[in-house]
Amino acid sequence: MSDIVLTAAVRQNLLSLQSTADLLATTQNRLSTGKKVNSALDNPTNYFTASSLDARASDINNLLDGIGNGVQILQAANTGITSLQKLIDSAKSVANQALQTAVGYAPKSTVTAGSIAGATAQNLLGNPVNATVTGAAIPGAAATTTKLTALTTPLTATDNLTINGKTIAFANSGGNQITATGATLDLTNATVGDLLNAIDTITGASSTVPPTPSSLGGTKLTLSTGTAQDLVIGGNAGTLTNLGLVAGTTVRGTTLPAGQTLTITPTVPGNPSTSITFGTGVGQVSTLNGLNAALAANSLQASIDSAGKITLTTTSDAASSTIGTIGGSAAGGGQPFAGLVAPAPVADPTVQGTRSALIAQYNNIINQITTTAADASYNGVNLLGGDTLKLVFNETGKSTLSITGVNFNPAGLGLSALTQGTDFIDNNATNKVLTALNNAGSTLRTQAAALGSNLSIVEIRQNFSKNLINVLQTGSTNLTIADTNQEAANSQALSTRQSIAVSALSLANQSQQSVLQLLRSG
């Protein structure tokens, strides 16, 4: 419109009015959008900085869904572990029932040793006891006062008798010479009683050392061994015949001499062998308590009866096992443990039936462990089934957390189904199951602690991301938000300014209107 000529005043007022209109439009735009920076033209620095902050906040917000899923996956795994722990506790209850059930074998594997003379619970070695041997009738031996020369077959100076290797000789004079190392009897006055006294002096048997010394019963000699050693009879064959005796040894009551050893191979695979030395020295065994302490590691226990017989039997824990091979010098010829071979235990059908029913209950629980572990998944991820969970916490993918899953099926927990006739058959077998269950429970608790730690980390990062998004959005808003109070005041001021500018423009045009009025009046 270059053909239109405006005065300087009008043009100035017009420009002022246009500027005010532009400012008013800008103010109204800010009021309507709530932002003071709506495009890069408004403030390039703030606009692009805010856009960057908003973009990062959006990226992190998109990751929150994945983090939330991760929380639920961990919660599902934790729920699974809680249920598995309850199943383990149920399995323990079944195993404890088996322990409380009667031993499934009657009788258990048992052996009984020969009598140990004088043995008691406080003295397994025993004490030597007197034994006797009675000969054949001696014609003419009417009483202990009967002279040896008055027997139907009288003794002569050529006769001799040995007792425990000590010689009893006969002479026709010199009187009786009786000592512990041997004797000579004077046949001029020696009697049957003198002969018995000579024998007892050598053996140590006497009326003051019970039982009673050697004696004459009817016409038969009864000789005592004493307690010092066994009775060994020897000498001239004719002499022995005349006295109704036979050469040989009469053994005192069997004892368990110090230094004798007893060995027993493992009763249960994995048990240590038993190796015992009887005696009162350091490390030796002389009492029932000491014997049981030495036998315990091999799942054996001992008892002793009034006859001095030691009985070995398996403990209830090893009721299904057979006592190992018995050896050592105490099992040698003539010794109390000689020739002992333990029989196998005899199963009790009723009790074993009860234990078999418990096996069925246990196996049902094992099956539930399998299905529970398989069901502890969320959105296709199962940390109890060996899956791995990877969570990303920032928009660059550099801040991550990988949680490796575990296999918590029965095999992964070290458990398995039980077998009839093999498991729960005695306390040892049952305790093995309980040990496995305790280990499984410990494994679950350890994994629960690990899951709890990871869940805490994920929740912390989840809250951090939410707060960071808020910080980013707040920062973006601070760069672009408009002050509505200020913009409202600006709008009001600009409206007023616009009204004034219109009035000023009107005044600026009045000079031209005056010219128009002159033209009209002319």
Side-chain angles (χ1 to χ4, degrees):
M1 295 294 186
S2 58
D3 294 336
I4 302 174
V5 179
L6 299 176
T7 65
V10 171
R11 188 174 298 280
Q12 183 63 40
N13 280 290
L14 179 59
L15 288 174
S16 177
L17 183 60
Q18 289 174 338
S19 176
T20 299
D22 289 339
L23 289 174
L24 185 59
T26 298
T27 300
Q28 289 173 343
N29 185 46
R30 290 176 177 176
L31 286 171
S32 64
T33 62
K35 292 183 177 182
K36 66 181 179 181
V37 179
N38 287 290
S39 69
L41 297 176
D42 295 331
N43 187 326
T45 300
N46 286 9
Y47 178 80
F48 287 113
T49 300
S51 295
S52 176
L53 294 174
D54 286 337
R56 188 182 179 203
S58 177
D59 290 340
I60 294 175
N61 188 63
N62 291 335
L63 294 174
L64 280 177
D65 289 339
I67 296 173
N69 276 337
V71 170
Q72 296 307 113
I73 290 169
L74 289 168
Q75 291 283 18
N78 185 64
T79 300
I81 286 179
T82 300
S83 297
L84 289 176
Q85 185 65 64
K86 291 179 180 179
L87 289 171
I88 293 294
D89 290 341
S90 296
K92 284 183 183 178
S93 176
V94 173
N96 283 323
Q97 280 183 263
L99 283 180
Q100 295 164 9
T101 301
V103 175
Y105 292 87
K108 295 181 285 185
S109 181
T110 302
V111 292
T112 299
S115 294
I116 299 174
T120 64
Q122 299 305 315
N123 177 23
L124 297 182
L125 307 182
N127 294 305
V129 295
N130 182 73
T132 61
V133 58
T134 300
I138 306 173
T144 57
T145 57
T146 302
K147 290 186 177 182
L148 297 176
T149 56
L151 299 176
T152 301
T153 305
L155 296 183
T156 67
T158 60
D159 287 305
N160 70 78
L161 175 70
T162 61
I163 299 295
N164 297 347
K166 311 297 190 301
T167 299
I168 298 177
F170 301 95
N172 292 321
S173 62
N176 294 333
Q177 306 294 322
I178 300 174
T179 68
T181 59
T184 300
L185 299 182
D186 186 349
L187 292 175
T188 59
N189 57 17
T191 64
V192 171
D194 292 331
L195 175 62
L196 294 175
N197 181 44
I199 292 172
D200 286 348
T201 299
I202 292 172
T203 62
S206 70
S207 59
T208 59
V209 180
T212 58
S214 301
S215 61
L216 176 69
T219 60
K220 297 179 180 180
L221 294 178
T222 297
L223 306 185
S224 294
T225 62
T227 59
Q229 65 182 63
D230 296 336
L231 177 65
V232 183
I233 300 174
N236 183 283
T239 305
L240 294 176
T241 300
N242 290 343
L243 295 175
L245 301 175
V246 177
T249 301
T250 299
V251 180
R252 299 167 296 162
T254 302
T255 58
L256 192 60
Q260 293 286 332
T261 60
L262 178 67
T263 61
I264 306 173
T265 59
T267 299
V268 178
N271 277 6
S273 296
T274 298
S275 182
I276 295 170
T277 299
F278 291 101
T280 57
V282 176
Q284 296 181 332
V285 171
S286 63
T287 66
L288 185 63
N289 286 342
L291 179 59
N292 276 320
L295 293 171
N298 202 3
S299 302
L300 297 173
Q301 56 190 8
S303 61
I304 187 169
D305 63 14
S306 58
K309 295 181 179 181
I310 295 175
T311 297
L312 304 180
T313 186
T314 56
T315 62
S316 295
D317 287 348
S320 66
S321 301
T322 302
I323 297 174
T325 303
I326 297 173
S329 59
Q335 298 302 318
F337 294 91
L340 294 183
V341 178
V346 178
D348 183 328
T350 301
V351 175
Q352 291 301 334
T354 300
R355 289 175 175 256
S356 295
L358 293 174
I359 286 177
Q361 294 178 31
Y362 182 92
N363 288 343
N364 285 335
I365 295 172
I366 292 297
N367 291 335
Q368 288 304 310
I369 289 175
T370 300
T371 55
T372 299
D375 291 341
S377 64
Y378 180 86
N379 199 28
V381 179
N382 188 350
L383 291 178
L384 303 187
D387 294 340
T388 297
L389 173 63
K390 183 176 182 179
L391 298 175
V392 179
F393 296 124
N394 71 353
E395 71 281 6
T396 64
K398 294 181 179 179
S399 178
T400 62
L401 175 65
S402 290
I403 302 172
T404 303
V406 292
N407 283 309
F408 272 178
N409 53 22
L413 290 170
L415 305 175
S416 62
L418 303 185
T419 303
Q420 302 283 355
T422 300
D423 298 300
F424 280 3
I425 56 175
D426 61 18
N427 290 356
N428 259 354
T430 305
N431 282 326
K432 288 180 181 178
V433 175
L434 274 172
T435 297
L437 289 171
N438 287 331
N439 291 339
S442 178
T443 300
L444 287 173
R445 287 190 291 273
T446 299
Q447 187 60 28
L451 284 178
S453 176
N454 284 323
L455 179 59
S456 177
I457 291 172
V458 174
E459 289 179 335
I460 289 171
R461 288 308 303 257
Q462 185 182 43
N463 291 332
F464 170 77
S465 294
K466 290 179 180 178
N467 291 330
L468 182 58
I469 290 171
N470 182 61
V471 169
L472 293 172
Q473 291 176 336
T474 299
S476 172
T477 300
N478 288 341
L479 292 172
T480 60
I481 194 170
D483 184 343
T484 54
N485 291 324
Q486 180 181 349
E487 297 304 329
N490 287 343
S491 177
Q492 186 66 35
L494 288 170
S495 295
T496 302
R497 183 189 297 178
Q498 187 178 47
S499 298
I500 294 172
V502 170
S503 297
L505 182 59
S506 176
L507 291 173
N509 283 325
Q510 284 183 1
S511 59
Q512 294 182 6
Q513 290 175 354
S514 297
V515 173
L516 177 61
Q517 187 65 35
L518 288 173
L519 291 173
R520 287 178 177 173
S521 63

